[in-house]
Amino acid sequence: MTNRLIRSPHSVLLSFSGVCALLILFGTVTAQGATYYVATTGSDSNPGTSDRPWRNPQRCTTSPIKAGDTCIVRSGTYTDTDGNGAVVWVYNRTTTPSGTASGPITIKSEKPLGAVIAVSSRNGLNTGFYVDKPYYVIEGFNISGGSNSGSSATYHGIYLTSSADGAVVRANSIHHIGRAVCSNSDNGFPGVFVKGTSSVLIERNRIYSIGRRRNGESGCSTTRYQHDHGIYVTGASNVTVRRNVIYDSNRGYPIHVYRGTTSNLNIYHNTLSGKSPTGKPTGHILLASTIRTANIKNNISTDAKSGMVVITGLTASGVSINYNMSNTITNAKGGSYSGVQFSNNFDRISTLGFVSNSTNDFRLVSGSPAINRGTTSGVPPVSDGAPDISAYEYAVQNNISSPLTPTGLRAL
Ligand SMILES: [Ca+2]
Ligand SMILES: [Ca+2]
């Protein structure tokens, strides 16, 4: 009995090694920070513990939060309580904590999509999250809203500024952003706005029903048909957009790269669906800026008006577009462009093999031509060693450990 409690230095060493092996196995070698909680039953003067949680997710951006900490937001609906237009505004103030590359600050819904972020409806800026400090992770939220048709109204699901370097937007559902608004406002209503940010990762989100009413929709009269994008990137660097599902985002482009200089842009394994009834805009990915090095691969596109990638006003170097699949064409305008290489794309594939287009269930069926047709080059490895051209990897698309989406679907 006593002997069991006696450890030799050797056994301690083995035990330590074992722990290290487990940590490496599960990939959890990260800075360990504190965990705080938010609940609709809480109070911002509470200590933020599990049994005495805070009230508002805004509280996740102030002391004692520090780099490496996690703020868990329990199920319920959260609003802009102080009227500044953001449900959570990560202020660019010296008193606002910054994350670091090894210790980001994570704000996360406890239950995937259980925490609802209700975007406000001021005649001005409205956004779920406005991130103006580095290394914040926004994960698992259900974000929607925006109804004011005022001429200055603008709506965003998540807004990342040039001070939000290292931001991660992961496994959120971002939808119905200003969707019932009838407006000629020049302000865009994007799902995710990446404005000058460096080192951004946008992954495994479901982004749909973005943007204002079309001309003629529910009696609306508007001349704006391409202002409201799923993901809008302008003048950013080291941007990765992967394994997102984007549909009904055709009051703008599902993925829009516009103005400024964007460098090292990676867009891969996204599923893009939907055609505007008015035929505008014409495609799913717009490249209309200066772009230095981009890799657009393993994306699948269905029902774009003209094609997947629309190029206009582009100044490019090192833009590679390959191993994409669509039921239209990859190069929407069919032109040749300096600095852009289209190759090995699968065009005019009449049946892409989704479970159900009509219910936006874009998992693949067993006979899908997208299975195992992607490139392995420059993308993370997949379980069967052969990437599918999709947000979903067929072999593991029903894995219950993957994040849930509103309709019970799962993306990697
Ligand atoms: Ca606020
Ligand atoms: Ca595969």
Side-chain angles (χ1 to χ4, degrees):
M1 186 105 180
T2 309
N3 284 345
R4 289 184 186 174
L5 299 176
I6 298 173
R7 287 181 174 173
S8 70
H10 182 64
S11 69
V12 169
L13 185 64
L14 279 177
S15 176
F16 179 72
S17 302
V19 169
C20 287
L22 282 172
L23 287 173
I24 291 166
L25 185 63
F26 290 103
T28 53
V29 183
T30 54
Q32 292 297 304
T35 301
Y36 297 91
Y37 293 85
V38 173
T40 55
T41 54
S43 165
D44 284 347
S45 58
N46 276 348
T49 53
S50 178
D51 56 343
R52 295 186 65 203
W54 292 323
R55 172 61 183 88
N56 295 296
Q58 177 67 38
R59 191 67 180 79
C60 301
T61 70
T62 54
S63 178
I65 292 284
K66 61 184 186 311
D69 287 353
T70 298
C71 201
I72 304 285
V73 182
R74 296 208 162 118
S75 296
T77 298
Y78 299 89
T79 60
D80 170 26
T81 53
D82 59 6
N84 65 1
V87 179
V88 177
W89 193 306
V90 185
Y91 284 104
N92 195 340
R93 295 173 178 164
T94 56
T95 52
T96 306
S98 296
T100 64
S102 60
I105 293 170
T106 300
I107 306 177
K108 181 178 179 179
S109 175
E110 183 173 53
K111 177 184 171 190
L113 310 183
V116 174
I117 301 294
V119 175
S120 55
S121 295
R122 303 156 73 238
N123 188 25
L125 174 76
N126 302 282
T127 183
F129 291 83
Y130 187 94
V131 183
D132 204 15
K133 276 279 188 173
Y135 294 103
Y136 274 73
V137 178
I138 310 298
E139 182 169 333
F141 289 95
N142 184 351
I143 304 171
S144 66
S147 61
N148 188 315
S149 295
S151 60
S152 297
T154 177
Y155 305 97
H156 308 72
I158 297 175
Y159 189 129
L160 306 175
T161 76
S162 59
S163 297
D165 295 353
V168 176
V169 174
R170 174 182 295 135
N172 303 284
S173 175
I174 302 170
H175 61 101
H176 295 91
I177 301 298
R179 186 64 191 92
V181 170
C182 178
S183 174
N184 261 338
S185 171
D186 264 340
N187 297 321
F189 304 176
V192 181
F193 189 24
V194 180
K195 189 180 181 185
T197 323
S198 177
S199 300
V200 184
L201 174 60
I202 301 171
E203 64 174 0
R204 294 167 21 211
N205 301 281
R206 174 166 291 248
I207 300 173
Y208 65 99
S209 297
I210 302 296
R212 72 196 76 191
R213 287 179 176 157
R214 299 179 187 90
N215 189 43
E217 183 180 6
S218 301
C220 178
S221 175
T222 177
T223 58
R224 303 289 184 258
Y225 55 83
Q226 54 183 16
H227 281 54
D228 308 333
H229 314 290
I231 299 170
Y232 181 0
V233 177
T234 184
S237 61
N238 300 317
V239 177
T240 297
V241 176
R242 67 185 183 197
R243 295 204 180 278
N244 301 283
V245 175
I246 309 178
Y247 59 91
D248 187 29
S249 177
N250 46 33
R251 275 68 59 193
Y253 290 85
I255 300 174
H256 183 78
V257 185
Y258 186 65
R259 286 187 175 164
T261 297
T262 288
S263 58
N264 193 19
L265 172 67
N266 299 284
I267 299 172
Y268 56 83
H269 281 303
N270 299 282
T271 294
L272 311 172
S273 171
K275 175 168 58 181
S276 168
T278 61
K280 296 176 180 178
T282 55
H284 285 163
I285 300 174
L286 179 74
L287 303 180
S289 65
T290 297
I291 298 180
R292 298 188 182 121
T293 307
N295 287 287
I296 299 174
K297 63 181 91 172
N298 293 359
N299 302 288
I300 192 165
S301 159
T302 182
D303 295 337
K305 168 61 179 171
S306 299
M308 181 188 290
V309 180
V310 178
I311 293 178
T312 183
L314 175 69
T315 302
S317 59
V319 174
S320 171
I321 302 171
N322 53 44
Y323 292 93
N324 302 283
M325 183 177 286
S326 71
N327 65 353
T328 55
I329 54 176
T330 307
N331 183 356
K333 291 187 169 182
S336 62
Y337 306 92
S338 176
V340 181
Q341 180 204 46
F342 285 92
S343 63
N344 298 101
N345 295 296
F346 304 96
D347 289 349
R348 298 191 176 90
I349 305 296
S350 58
T351 302
L352 296 171
F354 298 127
V355 169
S356 169
N357 292 52
S358 62
T359 61
N360 301 303
D361 183 344
F362 300 109
R363 288 176 296 173
L364 302 175
V365 297
S366 61
S368 169
I371 293 174
N372 298 341
R373 300 290 285 280
T375 178
T376 59
S377 174
V379 298
V382 295
S383 58
D384 65 357
D388 303 351
I389 299 178
S390 168
Y392 299 98
E393 182 70 21
Y394 176 73
V396 293
Q397 67 186 1
N398 297 320
N399 184 339
I400 59 169
S401 67
S402 298
L404 294 172
T405 66
T407 53
L409 307 180
R410 302 161 180 96
L412 269 178

